[in-house]
Amino acid sequence: MKTMEPKDVKEEKPLDFIRQIVAEDLASGKHSTTITRFPPEPNGFLHIGHAKSICLNFGISVENDSTCHLRFDDTNPSKEETEYVESIKKDVQWLGFNWGDHLYFASDYFEKLYDFAVQLIKLGKAYVCELNAEEMRQYRGTLTEPGKESPYRNRSVEENLDLFERMKRGEFEEGSHVLRAKIDMESPNLNMRDPVIYRILKTDHHRTGDTWCIYPMYDYTHCLSDSIENITHSLCTLEFEDHRPLYDWVLETLQTPCHPRQIEFARLNLTYTVMSKRKLLQLVTEKYVDGWDDPRMLTISGLRRRGYTPASIRNFCHTIGIGKRESWIDMGVLENAIRDDLNPKAPRVMGVLDPLKLVIDNYPEDKTEMMTGQNHPQNPEMGTRELPFSRELYIERSDFMIDPPRKFHRLGPGREVRLRYGYLVTCVSYDTDESGEITAIHCTYDPETRGGSAPDGRKVKGTIHWVDANSAIDCKIHLYDRLFTVEHPDADKDTDFKQFLNPESKVVIEHAKVEPSLKDLEPGRQVQFERTGYFSPDPVDSSPGNLVFNRVVTLRDSWAKKQKNG
Ligand code: ATP
Ligand code: MG
């Protein structure tokens, strides 16, 4: 299978095959408007794969000035929670989409779904079966062998109605009885071999409480919910292709007035992550990450917390497009989407991740000058800001070497460098402690070079960033990186995906220094630390007076090189 690489990204695109179908249906008059839906099961937080489906379903509604429903597929009472419902609503809105008045729950249809089931029984198209799970499996057959008919298959309508009613009243134990559609035990499609449509579950439901002890199955519920809501195009991922005959069978058999068209598309597969909710939940409950919104998680809430923008995620979904064939998208494509979004608009600032003191020996002790920094050199309309400059500064420890190679265009004894928006300085000496660790470097500055250029025209190659020691703000920084070290952590069923967790996916810097203009930067805002990456205050850990930055993304894709070098 081919993996889409960042270089494959193109801007303009023809309509994808689903939008083409929609356009044709509107042009032919088959539909006068579209109604799509996004149907999450509230059993986890939404992830970047869901974003693909959201951007498709809600995108179509925006493009056609029509509606998209948000419908919770909450038919399994044991795994669902209200916390998930709230997080999903928040995530869809944050992505920039709006369901208006069209918020629905499959559980709102329980009564209707029950009536439809009674109707199926009356039509002779459903029966109560008492095979246990093991027998059911045996009777079902395999891909190469036809199934066998259940001994309960030919019960009378009256008996089925009575038993189903009693299932509903709670007279039977879990697992003892199910309602099955009566279709075809010899069908080559296993989904059509008398699938279970109702089961007994003596569990309270997050919305209906203890009203029900029988719950409808997904396949049965989904098509009928679509039909009840007059959905025109029911878009789902490819694994439901084999379920489409059942989708159509239920609606045809019941002769529902609305019969939506189910269309399948390839799900998003992204390298260096896992996408299954079950695995994401495992990372959370076993505390490999700090919750569903851990900034390393590819959940919408994790991406938001990390500092991704809604536009970057929508652009990513646009870039990868909608197709019919399974494929992989390289994580670099997502990272490029956030770089592309932030590059033109994120203000440039200076932050020092690993501070080393720089003392300008010939600069007056009690003087502070205000230097002018451009907020975005390519975008002058973003204005300027004042940067205090005085005798003691901090620079990046990695910008100084005692014995640098010739090509190192930064500081070393005797070398001259430009301090961004400041002066040219030349290193004259350095201090060390008993262990030999460098504690400070000493420079002299050339007062003729304010702003960074020398009147005599001498060339100084290197420019480094700095902050003023007096006014810099102390902060904490989380350097996030990919959560896994391999492209396909869950490729092999027999290998635990957790063994591929990246031990360096979160590096905490306790004592970084940033320029004073960032004092009141709020979560949800992003800046570029010049030369270092894009950063955003953490919405949970950061507070006024206690800044905590997350690295959203590095300036360049450092993984592309690693991959190439093997
Ligand atoms: P589960 O494993 O719990 O079934 P799910 O990922 O299918 O998880 P749902 O809540 O059922 O989760 O998904 C809601 C919608 O999002 C579905 O229509 C589903 O097809 C779509 N979706 C889920 N994962 C992806 C993905 N990776 N790419 C595109 N669409 C997805
Ligand atoms: Mg699902």
Side-chain angles (χ1 to χ4, degrees):
M1 222 187 296
K2 190 178 176 299
T3 300
M4 183 183 191
E5 305 279 349
K7 63 177 165 34
D8 298 334
V9 173
K10 298 189 187 64
E11 281 282 302
E12 290 299 321
K13 295 202 132 114
L15 287 188
D16 59 64
F17 80 101
I18 291 182
R19 285 177 166 90
Q20 262 173 38
I21 293 174
V22 166
E24 282 160 21
D25 287 349
L26 290 171
S28 73
K30 180 177 176 194
H31 296 295
S32 56
T33 183
T34 60
I35 306 180
T36 48
R37 86 286 170 268
F38 173 64
E41 187 181 344
N43 63 350
F45 281 56
L46 297 181
H47 53 58
I48 185 75
H50 293 113
K52 175 173 179 176
S53 177
I54 292 169
C55 289
L56 175 64
N57 282 293
F58 280 95
I60 287 175
S61 79
V62 171
E63 292 150 25
N64 294 289
D65 201 13
S66 54
T67 48
C68 178
H69 300 179
L70 175 60
R71 182 201 315 140
F72 288 97
D73 232 317
D74 56 350
T75 51
N76 182 355
S78 46
K79 285 201 223 149
E80 292 155 3
E81 283 175 35
T82 310
E83 181 202 0
Y84 296 137
V85 170
E86 292 312 313
S87 77
I88 290 170
K89 281 160 57 176
K90 180 173 171 186
D91 289 349
V92 173
Q93 277 171 330
W94 180 77
L95 279 173
F97 298 111
N98 188 346
W99 52 86
D101 299 331
H102 301 282
L103 174 66
Y104 302 106
F105 292 83
S107 56
D108 290 343
Y109 308 139
F110 279 170
E111 198 68 50
K112 282 186 181 150
L113 295 169
Y114 180 80
D115 292 342
F116 278 126
V118 168
Q119 217 178 311
L120 279 180
I121 294 174
K122 288 183 178 162
L123 289 166
K125 296 292 185 186
Y127 62 96
V128 173
C129 183
E130 293 170 47
L131 293 179
N132 64 34
E134 182 48 39
E135 292 165 330
M136 193 93 93
R137 239 190 315 280
Q138 281 168 10
Y139 275 77
R140 196 162 180 244
T142 61
L143 280 173
T144 50
E145 270 172 57
K148 268 195 318 195
E149 296 190 349
S150 158
Y152 304 99
R153 196 173 200 259
N154 294 314
R155 282 179 152 148
S156 69
V157 168
E158 288 67 36
E159 194 183 356
N160 279 319
L161 286 174
D162 174 60
L163 287 169
F164 189 46
E165 165 81 38
R166 288 166 60 195
M167 277 171 67
K168 181 192 180 194
R169 282 207 302 260
E171 289 184 24
F172 305 121
E173 289 311 305
E174 277 187 18
S176 66
H177 295 66
V178 292
L179 185 71
R180 298 176 71 177
K182 191 170 176 177
I183 310 179
D184 179 5
M185 288 308 291
E186 295 191 0
S187 169
N189 183 340
L190 281 105
N191 295 309
M192 298 298 271
R193 293 185 187 170
D194 291 9
V196 172
I197 58 176
Y198 264 93
R199 62 192 160 156
I200 300 170
L201 280 179
K202 301 201 166 169
T203 308
D204 282 6
H205 185 278
H206 76 122
R207 300 192 85 229
T208 59
D210 63 359
T211 310
W212 296 89
C213 65
I214 55 171
Y215 290 95
M217 301 299 287
Y218 176 84
D219 278 333
Y220 172 75
T221 308
H222 194 77
C223 54
L224 286 168
S225 305
D226 280 352
S227 173
I228 290 167
E229 292 175 18
N230 288 314
I231 300 299
T232 55
H233 301 85
S234 177
L235 314 176
C236 60
T237 34
L238 281 178
E239 67 271 22
F240 290 102
E241 197 163 17
D242 290 346
H243 298 238
R244 176 155 30 97
L246 178 55
Y247 185 106
D248 290 333
W249 181 91
V250 172
L251 299 185
E252 266 159 34
T253 307
L254 288 166
Q255 296 281 304
T256 55
C258 169
H259 187 147
R261 173 165 177 195
Q262 174 177 312
I263 310 169
E264 307 86 17
F265 63 95
R267 66 195 297 115
L268 168 64
N269 296 305
L270 197 59
T271 59
Y272 295 97
T273 188
V274 294
M275 205 81 96
S276 136
K277 272 191 263 181
R278 190 176 52 78
K279 289 176 189 151
L280 294 175
L281 180 63
Q282 204 178 334
L283 293 174
V284 173
T285 51
E286 294 172 20
K287 302 216 179 331
Y288 290 97
V289 295
D290 312 323
W292 280 100
D293 68 346
D294 183 297
R296 293 164 292 178
M297 293 274 272
L298 272 288
T299 51
I300 306 296
S301 49
L303 289 165
R304 173 171 59 234
R305 183 167 172 191
R306 174 122 164 209
Y308 270 69
T309 57
S312 69
I313 297 176
R314 292 194 304 266
N315 291 342
F316 168 73
C317 291
H318 174 75
T319 299
I320 60 175
I322 300 290
K324 260 252 169 265
R325 232 174 318 129
E326 285 292 345
S327 66
W328 284 88
I329 304 294
D330 188 273
M331 181 68 92
V333 178
L334 178 64
E335 292 166 346
N336 271 352
I338 184 67
R339 287 190 192 102
D340 287 349
D341 189 43
L342 294 182
N343 185 34
K345 61 187 186 207
R348 272 46 175 173
V349 297
M350 295 201 278
V352 177
L353 306 191
D354 187 9
L356 172 63
K357 187 163 270 186
L358 180 152
V359 183
I360 305 174
D361 291 340
N362 61 340
Y363 195 90
E365 289 224 12
D366 45 9
K367 180 172 170 182
T368 297
E369 284 180 75
M370 284 301 182
M371 302 301 193
T372 303
Q374 285 183 280
N375 293 336
H376 197 301
Q378 287 81 48
N379 225 347
E381 65 274 22
M382 283 176 68
T384 59
R385 67 193 186 286
E386 302 275 88
L387 292 162
F389 182 97
S390 57
R391 190 170 190 267
E392 295 197 348
L393 310 172
Y394 289 105
I395 62 163
E396 214 68 71
R397 189 165 283 275
S398 58
D399 282 337
F400 173 78
M401 282 177 83
I402 295 175
D403 188 13
R406 204 167 49 87
K407 288 233 167 96
F408 185 80
H409 299 301
R410 293 174 262 165
L411 277 174
R415 297 211 182 178
E416 186 171 42
V417 81
R418 178 180 302 102
L419 295 173
R420 180 82 155 151
Y421 303 123
Y423 291 95
L424 299 182
V425 293
T426 303
C427 177
V428 289
S429 65
Y430 58 90
D431 304 334
T432 55
D433 62 15
E434 313 83 70
S435 67
E437 165 111 340
I438 301 162
T439 52
I441 62 170
H442 292 266
C443 293
T444 52
Y445 84 118
D446 177 351
E448 300 298 309
T449 59
R450 195 174 197 277
S453 56
D456 65 1
R458 70 179 185 274
K459 289 260 181 307
V460 174
K461 269 211 173 138
T463 301
I464 64 173
H465 60 275
W466 53 274
V467 293
D468 170 49
N470 281 327
S471 57
I473 303 170
D474 288 307
C475 66
K476 197 165 153 174
I477 294 184
H478 298 151
L479 295 180
Y480 290 116
D481 202 350
R482 297 180 182 178
L483 190 50
F484 293 94
T485 52
V486 298
E487 288 187 81
H488 306 293
D490 55 356
D492 177 12
K493 280 190 202 64
D494 301 322
T495 311
D496 184 359
F497 70 98
K498 297 194 296 294
Q499 85 178 59
F500 301 113
L501 280 164
N502 178 3
E504 284 162 28
S505 62
K506 178 179 184 177
V507 173
V508 179
I509 297 179
E510 294 289 346
H511 302 288
K513 305 265 183 192
V514 295
E515 62 169 73
S517 75
L518 296 178
K519 187 161 72 72
D520 298 318
L521 191 72
E522 283 167 16
R525 305 293 296 270
Q526 295 82 2
V527 289
Q528 186 194 96
F529 289 3
E530 294 206 38
R531 301 174 65 219
T532 313
Y534 293 98
F535 292 80
S536 185
D538 187 280
V540 179
D541 296 338
S542 197
S543 57
N546 181 26
L547 270 176
V548 181
F549 280 97
N550 292 334
R551 180 168 70 194
V552 187
V553 70
T554 51
L555 290 183
R556 272 169 290 279
D557 184 355
S558 54
W559 286 77
K561 227 197 289 166
K562 278 189 219 172
Q563 259 160 266
K564 234 183 246 145
N565 300 341

